[in-house]
Amino acid sequence: MKIFLRIIGVVAILIVSVIIFILITWDNKIDAPYPDVKSSSDSVVIARGKYLVFGPAHCATCHVPMDKIMEVENGLQMPLSGGWEIDIPPGVFRATNLTPDLKTGIGKLTDGEIARTLRYSVGSDGRYIAPFMPFQDLTDEDLVAIISYLRSQEPVEHEMKKSEISFLGKALITFGILKPEVPKNTPLKSIERDSTVQYGGYLANYVAECMGCHTERDLKTTEFIGPPFAGGFEFEPNEQSEGYGFVSPNLTPDPETGVIYSWDEDRFINRFHSGSLVKGSPMPWGAFSRINDLELKAIYKYLRSLKPVSRKIEKTVYLEKEKLPE
Ligand code: HEC
Ligand code: HEC
């Protein structure tokens, strides 16, 4: 009996120690360099930034108040005063105010701090930033363009509540299971914008998050668990999806199971210009309807160049199957 009690005692102490360890170490400052980039007031640079923010990089899909999201999807260009939030097992994550307001926005942040968040997933406070932003491999040129545009906006005072990491999230961060996304390659200074596989790959992986959504992921750890671009990422119904649930389709050129296998380039481009056909789809079709034709051609070419993966996604929308586009 005594031994039994002693074992229970030791186990209890161990558990309490681990919990204390997690609570005091999870928010240790993460070490990452500040990219050497400088925002600019050149109108060509700002215009490229604005195009990325409201188009392929779709920052505006998350960083605006959610009661304005339909208007923004339809083309309203408003200051990015923050708004979207997502509640998943590791925590509640909230998209911050990105206008130059000094108190509630990015006004007091340096270019280096904003660039470090996007490239190394480290917040301005030195903490882990959750992987909703796949921009680690943005070229210096595009990073500068985006930051320059953010700085050119009118400041809006709008306090966003801070993200709240759950105990599970803190444990996963402490034990390195959740770790900041970092560049996969040495980020380029710039990239030639042409309808090439290379540029399409850059857009699909590092700018427009096609890979991040069209690859199966474990929502507890946010890790990728399926073949890239082969679909299968599940989006459960939430307030913004109006009750519908979604599964991303397979974008690899597999004859049997690839959704765009039979599409020619024109059909692909027209599909993007048409915007959302399914109510509540999580894909930012509005922002993507503004991707220019050269970039859509590049993305199409890149997707066609992928290795076909046979993976049948039975339905991409649940509840009302008849609303599926053919
Ligand atoms: C899918 C939604 C989504 C998109 C798209 C998105 N963000 Fe975010 N952003 C978030 C969320 C959620 C957070 C809070 C993350 C956290 O607290 O871990 C955030 C935080 C940030 C932060 C603040 C980091 C800090 O110091 O706390 C910056 C800066 C930022 N985003 C910039 C951008 C830019 C620039 C773009 C477009 C190039 C963009 N975001 C696109 C969801 C998004
Ligand atoms: C936020 C997640 C998300 C992102 C980012 C995203 N998709 Fe999707 N995509 C989905 C979901 C979910 C569906 C199924 C629902 C629908 O058709 O809207 C879908 C559907 C599609 C379809 C099929 C449309 C149809 O009419 O059958 C294509 C093609 C597609 N995506 C391509 C892309 C490309 C290319 C990118 C990057 C430029 C991209 N997606 C980025 C989630 C996403």
Side-chain angles (χ1 to χ4, degrees):
M1 191 61 190
K2 258 199 193 143
I3 292 192
F4 182 65
L5 283 179
R6 215 175 275 168
I7 292 175
I8 293 198
V10 170
V11 170
I13 289 173
L14 271 177
I15 292 177
V16 171
S17 316
V18 170
I19 292 176
I20 293 175
F21 178 69
I22 290 170
L23 292 179
I24 58 181
T25 46
W26 79 273
D27 63 348
N28 279 356
K29 295 230 179 315
I30 298 165
D31 217 16
Y34 292 99
D36 183 20
V37 295
K38 241 183 140 62
S39 60
S40 147
S41 51
D42 183 319
S43 62
V44 175
V45 174
I46 291 176
R48 168 74 180 167
K50 184 173 188 180
Y51 166 74
L52 289 169
V53 162
F54 289 97
H58 63 287
C59 321
T61 309
C62 296
H63 286 272
V64 297
M66 285 299 110
D67 58 349
K68 287 282 188 293
I69 189 62
M70 282 326 291
E71 287 161 75
V72 171
E73 275 287 279
N74 292 332
L76 173 73
Q77 299 192 329
M78 63 179 297
L80 307 191
S81 61
W84 183 72
E85 67 172 57
I86 184 168
D87 187 347
I88 53 175
V92 184
F93 297 96
R94 303 192 174 94
T96 52
N97 181 345
L98 299 180
T99 73
D101 184 54
L102 277 170
K103 239 176 54 213
T104 61
I106 56 163
K108 57 188 180 312
L109 302 185
T110 63
D111 292 339
E113 283 172 324
I114 303 170
R116 187 178 72 156
T117 293
L118 295 172
R119 189 160 280 172
Y120 296 102
S121 319
V122 176
S124 52
D125 56 1
R127 149 185 97 69
Y128 165 83
I129 289 288
F132 298 106
M133 298 178 282
F135 309 120
Q136 291 70 43
D137 289 73
L138 280 183
T139 61
D140 286 355
E141 190 183 6
D142 283 344
L143 204 50
V144 165
I146 288 172
I147 298 172
S148 304
Y149 173 69
L150 295 180
R151 296 242 188 262
S152 77
Q153 299 173 99
E154 146 207 348
V156 175
E157 188 175 338
H158 178 223
E159 183 83 52
M160 279 294 294
K161 260 172 81 186
K162 278 206 151 78
S163 298
E164 291 157 68
I165 319 281
S166 67
F167 183 73
L168 172 73
K170 290 174 184 172
L172 294 172
I173 292 170
T174 303
F175 297 113
I177 297 163
L178 280 184
K179 44 182 185 298
E181 296 291 320
V182 296
K184 318 252 171 335
N185 308 293
T186 308
L188 303 168
K189 291 253 169 281
S190 64
I191 184 168
E192 194 187 340
R193 290 185 218 148
D194 201 354
S195 56
T196 55
V197 170
Q198 196 207 10
Y199 188 48
Y202 169 74
L203 294 167
N205 286 282
Y206 309 134
V207 182
E209 184 71 337
C210 320
M211 201 287 278
C213 276
H214 285 272
T215 304
E216 189 177 356
R217 253 168 143 161
D218 178 345
L219 278 187
K220 280 202 191 62
T221 61
T222 68
E223 261 168 346
F224 292 108
I225 51 175
F229 293 99
F233 186 163
E234 286 201 41
F235 300 81
E236 289 185 357
N238 63 20
E239 310 96 75
Q240 281 135 37
S241 76
E242 311 194 25
Y244 295 87
F246 297 87
V247 185
S248 59
N250 180 351
L251 297 183
T252 72
D254 180 59
E256 302 288 326
T257 63
V259 67
I260 62 164
Y261 177 75
S262 62
W263 298 12
D264 60 12
E265 187 187 81
D266 279 345
R267 177 156 177 202
F268 183 81
I269 292 175
N270 287 333
R271 175 66 196 87
F272 273 80
H273 289 330
S274 310
S276 187
L277 300 180
V278 195
K279 221 175 156 188
S281 172
M283 179 159 156
W285 284 108
F288 290 169
S289 70
R290 291 180 281 276
I291 302 181
N292 65 40
D293 286 5
L294 179 131
E295 296 191 342
L296 286 173
K297 282 181 187 169
I299 294 172
Y300 178 77
K301 221 176 249 178
Y302 171 73
L303 293 175
R304 302 300 292 208
S305 78
L306 293 171
K307 201 172 124 252
V309 176
S310 169
R311 180 162 204 223
K312 182 127 192 83
I313 305 300
E314 289 298 341
K315 42 181 177 176
T316 55
V317 186
Y318 29 100
L319 277 191
E320 295 204 4
K321 213 175 165 187
E322 65 277 11
K323 289 210 171 165
L324 271 173
E326 38 48 269

